[in-house]
Amino acid sequence: MKLINPIKNSTGIGLIEVLITTVVVAVGLLAIASLQGDLMNSSGLNKTHAEAKALCDTKVEELRDTIIKAGASGYDAIASSAANESITGTNEIFSRGWVVANLPNPASAVLADQTGPVRKRISATCSWASGQVVVQSILAFEDIGASGLDAIGQNSGIDMNDPSTNANSSEEIKPEIIDLPPGQTDGSIYSQDGKTYLVTASGTKGVRVYSCGTLTPFEHDLFTRRVNRDGVVGDEAIELFEKSTVDTSYCIPKIRFNGGVIIPIRGIVHSAATDGNNGPLLDVNLFTFNATESGTYCIFDPIVGAKSAPYVCYVGGNCKFGPAGTAVSGNVPVTECPNPTFSAAKVGPGGWRGKVGLLGVAANDKNVCFAEELTGEPATLDTARNYYTRNNGLNEGINKPYSCHDFLIINGQNNNKRKISEECTDQAAAIGGFSLASKNIQRDITGNNVFDPVINTGYCQGNPDTSQLIIGTIENANSANASTAPEVTVSGGNCTATTTSYTCWLTTAEASVTVSGSYDGRTASCSFDPAIASGCTLSFPLSDNPTYTITGLINGTSANSVSVSLDLSGIPCTNMANGDGTYSYSCTVTATDPTTVTLAAKSSVIGTTVTPTTQTVTLSGASGTTITVPDPFSAEGGATYTVSGSINIGSLVDNLTTVTVAVDTNMGACTLTGSHSADTADSYSCTVPGGSNHLTIAISPPCSSGEDTMRYEISDGTTIMDGGSLLIDLGNVGGPVSKDITITKSQTSC
């Protein structure tokens, strides 16, 4: 038997293991002790920081709670601390002081009767031995009574934090609604606390209304009043009222313009489109009335069956930099700045900027035409114009009224830009007598955004001395060996250009304007009619491809009405009379692959047949070759008749900016001559084919100006219409038709 030695196999803990364990435990305990100290220090610092901030916040709120303006304890007397306060806190002794800075007042600072600033900046500092906290805030005084009224929906306080998408230039006025005792009659008037309320259909609620007789008549049955909204002396805000539909002797506030002036944007909506029942698209509501989203308040009320009707959209400007209105204080028209000038501090430079356009058009598979569609294929398809001021590279509010910014609606072309351009051109020519403004309306300034009261009438017809903005596109001006933009010239105008577009201010009475350009040793030209278009496309020949000139002949009884263009590209060819009743056309084209082009011919005279309507031309030979098309375009006109007469304008009609004459779409074209001035007679003439037709006379504005605003009355001796347009049934036209029109001031208020 083998014996095992128990002593030899026994195990235990050696001294070295004990020492290692002791070291590890000691290091851990030291780390915990250090962490605990750091936590205690951090907790104390955070507590000190929070206590200091609370002390600063308390002082700012104490100053903010001032409820009177004057006196030793009032808002005007709030000033910096004379010496720092010593405050014993939980962990530290704090030193608290504050600095008050009177901020400069916008515009109204020049008023002699102003006492005290509108705004004060408070900087409160709370410091201790090892740190400090600074709290800043802006204080603005508002009367406690006004605040209370605003809190219950009276809208008499100052909206210091109103949300705005239009630089705070305008805001909808929230209706003041109260609960009524039982037994009230729908539509009756209820008085309470010196206020007047209109009883709603439920009989349990009342909506605050105002006597229209205490307000200032404006236009379109609207009323206004100026009110003080910023606590500074002077009525800088304008409130716009509508007549109640229940009781027209009372008015309801709708929108407030904070910048001191209302800016109108006017024009006429023409429709060459129809709905599913072949009725005019104008029968639908096309403009927004939601001022919260758009900042605009629009009036658009076409009569049933009309194909042209005026519109106006009101936006808010900013009178911070004037100029003062022409009338004395208290009687300044709302379309002018107050006298002296001032505006609410919260309104951005220039006031409103944004878009004015048509709703529901694209949803109904329709398109809207602008100047861009009349010059070729547009870059984008839009239903609204974009308005803004460009000031040293920044966008600001427009601060300027515009007129004759018309729209043209056409039946949809499946978003085919070439077809849309062709349809817009055809329908604009068929309606006649108006010019379409561009999609972007830019006002360029440098320095202060001063309100400009002069109405921009650059797109108004009937005044050949009016300068209008011409915008066109440029093609093939981006070659690598040219470092400058093209040079563009037009007779009677000044032009600037980039490699893709040109802009000209043009003054002309000519029916055709030619734009010329030079670039990299190459030249290009194009022509357009300023009455129906706003520019054309300058297409420079490509230096790497051959260039050809295509010429041909147009003959027939209606040769003078035919225009020839390079199809697909839409570039117009130049027409020249030969003196024998025929016309020659000439086109410049650069050959690409394939080396064929198609010429398209159209007539502006309704009923005219052009044969052939298109011709294909093969491009061959050396660059610079002239190719003569052997087959002429022949234009024979069908039977047409003249609808004509005078438009007699009464002596009290003194503010018309636009008069438009039109017949049914695709049923003729009209021309109008005259100045639209009071106590004068314009004349019009329309060429129409035989058959059923209508005549539309549209005017803008539809109401007189001044305090006594009345609707204008349009009449042909049989039919009378108050307002913006008159639709006359011409019946079955089979010969000359004479219709004399009168425009007079009616007895119906706007």
Side-chain angles (χ1 to χ4, degrees):
M1 175 186 336
K2 184 177 180 179
L3 298 175
I4 299 175
N5 188 343
I7 298 175
K8 183 178 179 180
N9 291 277
S10 64
T11 61
I13 299 174
L15 180 60
I16 187 65
E17 287 89 348
V18 172
L19 291 174
I20 292 173
T21 301
T22 302
V23 171
V24 171
V25 171
V27 170
L29 292 175
L30 288 173
I32 292 173
S34 176
L35 175 62
Q36 184 176 11
D38 289 343
L39 290 174
M40 292 179 65
N41 289 336
S42 177
S43 176
L45 179 61
N46 289 340
K47 188 173 183 179
T48 300
H49 189 278
E51 190 172 14
K53 185 176 185 303
L55 289 171
C56 285
D57 287 339
T58 299
K59 173 51 66 175
V60 171
E61 291 305 313
E62 176 186 329
L63 299 176
R64 192 190 304 278
D65 288 340
T66 304
I67 62 174
I68 60 175
K69 193 170 190 297
S73 60
Y75 170 84
D76 292 342
I78 295 177
S80 303
S81 56
N84 286 1
E85 300 173 331
S86 180
I87 303 173
T88 301
T90 304
N91 295 331
E92 295 283 352
I93 297 177
F94 299 96
S95 176
R96 183 173 70 179
W98 57 96
V99 176
V100 178
N102 293 329
L103 300 182
N105 298 323
S108 55
V110 300
L111 296 180
D113 54 354
Q114 178 190 322
T115 57
V118 178
R119 301 177 300 156
K120 294 173 180 281
R121 181 175 61 235
I122 311 298
S123 298
T125 302
C126 296
S127 58
W128 62 99
S130 59
Q132 70 175 17
V133 169
V134 179
V135 174
Q136 285 192 337
S137 182
I138 303 294
L139 306 186
F141 180 78
E142 180 178 358
D143 180 77
I144 189 171
S147 299
L149 291 173
D150 194 49
I152 64 173
Q154 177 62 24
N155 290 289
S156 295
I158 303 171
D159 299 329
M160 296 306 298
N161 298 305
D162 282 350
S164 173
T165 58
N166 57 83
N168 282 308
S169 61
S170 62
E171 59 200 0
E172 285 186 307
I173 301 177
K174 304 171 186 177
E176 180 189 350
I177 301 176
I178 64 170
D179 294 321
L180 300 178
Q184 305 303 317
T185 302
D186 175 23
S188 63
I189 296 298
Y190 181 86
S191 297
Q192 177 178 296
D193 299 330
K195 303 175 184 178
T196 303
Y197 298 87
L198 186 65
V199 180
T200 63
S202 66
T204 62
K205 301 287 184 180
V207 179
R208 176 76 187 277
V209 293
Y210 299 76
S211 171
C212 297
T214 63
L215 306 172
T216 301
F218 184 37
E219 58 185 35
H220 294 291
D221 261 353
L222 301 174
F223 292 79
T224 63
R225 70 170 181 177
R226 289 188 180 269
V227 295
N228 186 346
R229 293 284 296 170
D230 60 1
V232 182
V233 175
D235 296 336
E236 85 294 341
I238 302 168
E239 293 180 339
L240 187 69
F241 293 77
E242 286 181 351
K243 278 186 178 180
S244 167
T245 57
V246 178
D247 188 338
T248 57
S249 62
Y250 290 95
C251 288
I252 300 173
K254 300 299 294 184
I255 186 171
R256 182 182 298 111
F257 299 96
N258 297 309
V261 65
I262 297 177
I263 297 175
I265 300 174
R266 305 180 191 272
I268 293 179
V269 181
H270 304 277
S271 179
T274 57
D275 61 19
N277 299 316
N278 293 322
L281 191 65
L282 287 185
D283 283 347
V284 303
N285 175 24
L286 298 177
F287 285 90
T288 176
F289 289 82
N290 191 338
T292 299
E293 295 180 0
S294 66
T296 64
Y297 180 92
C298 297
I299 299 289
F300 180 67
D301 188 22
I303 62 175
V304 176
K307 297 184 179 180
S308 296
Y311 78 89
V312 59
C313 288
Y314 302 112
V315 300
N318 188 344
C319 287
K320 178 177 181 179
F321 301 106
T326 57
V328 297
S329 180
N331 296 305
V332 179
V334 293
T335 52
E336 297 180 11
C337 289
N339 189 351
T341 59
F342 43 80
S343 66
K346 64 181 181 179
V347 181
W352 178 90
R353 72 174 187 266
K355 292 187 175 182
V356 170
L358 309 178
L359 300 178
V361 176
N364 286 316
D365 296 323
K366 313 298 179 185
N367 292 108
V368 180
C369 305
F370 299 87
E372 287 78 358
E373 278 74 15
L374 300 183
T375 61
E377 294 185 24
T380 60
L381 299 179
D382 302 271
T383 60
R385 284 192 180 88
N386 187 26
Y387 293 81
Y388 58 94
T389 290
R390 196 71 172 166
N391 189 356
N392 287 326
L394 299 177
N395 286 352
E396 297 180 351
I398 62 171
N399 238 10
K400 182 177 181 63
Y402 293 86
S403 194
C404 304
H405 281 196
D406 296 355
F407 293 93
L408 172 59
I409 307 169
I410 61 170
N411 284 323
Q413 305 295 317
N414 296 321
N415 289 331
N416 184 312
K417 293 182 179 179
R418 179 177 66 85
K419 291 184 177 179
I420 290 172
S421 176
E422 292 178 348
E423 182 71 5
C424 287
T425 301
D426 290 345
Q427 299 302 345
I431 295 174
F434 73 105
S435 177
L436 286 175
S438 300
K439 296 177 182 180
N440 288 299
I441 305 299
Q442 176 176 319
R443 175 187 178 221
D444 293 305
I445 64 171
T446 300
N448 293 332
N449 198 325
V450 179
F451 169 64
D452 181 1
V454 179
I455 301 173
N456 183 300
T457 58
Y459 292 94
C460 295
Q461 294 299 297
N463 184 0
D465 296 326
T466 298
S467 182
Q468 64 184 92
L469 181 65
I470 303 301
I471 299 175
T473 57
I474 294 177
E475 296 179 343
N476 304 329
N478 54 0
S479 60
N481 61 333
S483 59
T484 60
E487 293 184 2
V488 178
T489 59
V490 59
S491 178
N494 298 314
C495 302
T496 59
T498 67
T499 57
T500 58
S501 66
Y502 65 86
T503 300
C504 306
W505 282 101
L506 174 67
T507 301
T508 183
E510 298 297 327
S512 179
V513 173
T514 299
V515 180
S516 301
S518 61
Y519 172 76
D520 191 26
R522 292 167 277 159
T523 61
S525 63
C526 61
S527 301
F528 67 96
D529 183 348
I532 61 175
S534 178
C536 52
T537 299
L538 278 176
S539 183
F540 291 97
L542 297 173
S543 57
D544 298 331
N545 295 316
T547 299
Y548 302 93
T549 299
I550 302 173
T551 63
L553 192 66
I554 308 169
N555 60 28
T557 58
S558 298
N560 63 335
S561 70
V562 176
S563 61
V564 179
S565 64
L566 295 170
D567 195 27
L568 300 181
S569 65
I571 299 175
C573 302
T574 302
N575 283 15
M576 182 176 64
N578 296 322
D580 58 358
T582 66
Y583 286 75
S584 295
Y585 63 87
S586 177
C587 313
T588 300
V589 61
T590 299
T592 57
D593 186 17
T595 56
T596 60
V597 295
T598 301
L599 300 178
K602 295 181 180 180
S603 173
S604 60
V605 174
I606 301 299
T608 295
T609 301
V610 180
T611 57
T613 56
T614 61
Q615 296 196 71
T616 301
V617 180
T618 300
L619 304 177
S620 61
S623 181
T625 298
T626 297
I627 300 173
T628 302
V629 180
D631 297 326
F633 290 104
S634 180
E636 298 296 336
T640 59
Y641 305 98
T642 300
V643 178
S644 61
S646 62
I647 302 178
N648 299 292
I649 302 173
S651 59
L652 300 179
V653 183
D654 59 357
N655 63 333
L656 291 185
T657 59
T658 303
V659 177
T660 300
V661 182
V663 291
D664 288 353
T665 304
N666 293 324
M667 292 293 287
C670 300
T671 59
L672 174 68
T673 59
S675 61
H676 318 329
S677 303
D679 207 18
T680 62
D682 294 357
S683 61
Y684 72 93
S685 179
C686 305
T687 301
V688 301
S692 177
N693 216 321
H694 296 80
L695 181 70
T696 300
I697 311 295
I699 64 173
S700 179
C703 299
S704 63
S705 59
E707 296 185 1
D708 182 21
T709 55
M710 298 292 179
R711 287 186 180 274
Y712 289 140
E713 184 178 274
I714 311 174
S715 173
D716 66 343
T718 302
T719 305
I720 300 175
M721 176 58 63
D722 283 347
S725 62
L726 172 65
L727 181 68
I728 303 171
D729 187 356
L730 298 176
N732 191 13
V733 179
V737 178
S738 178
K739 288 284 184 181
D740 290 334
I741 309 299
T742 60
I743 302 175
T744 57
K745 187 176 180 181
S746 72
Q747 298 301 313
T748 304
S749 298
C750 287

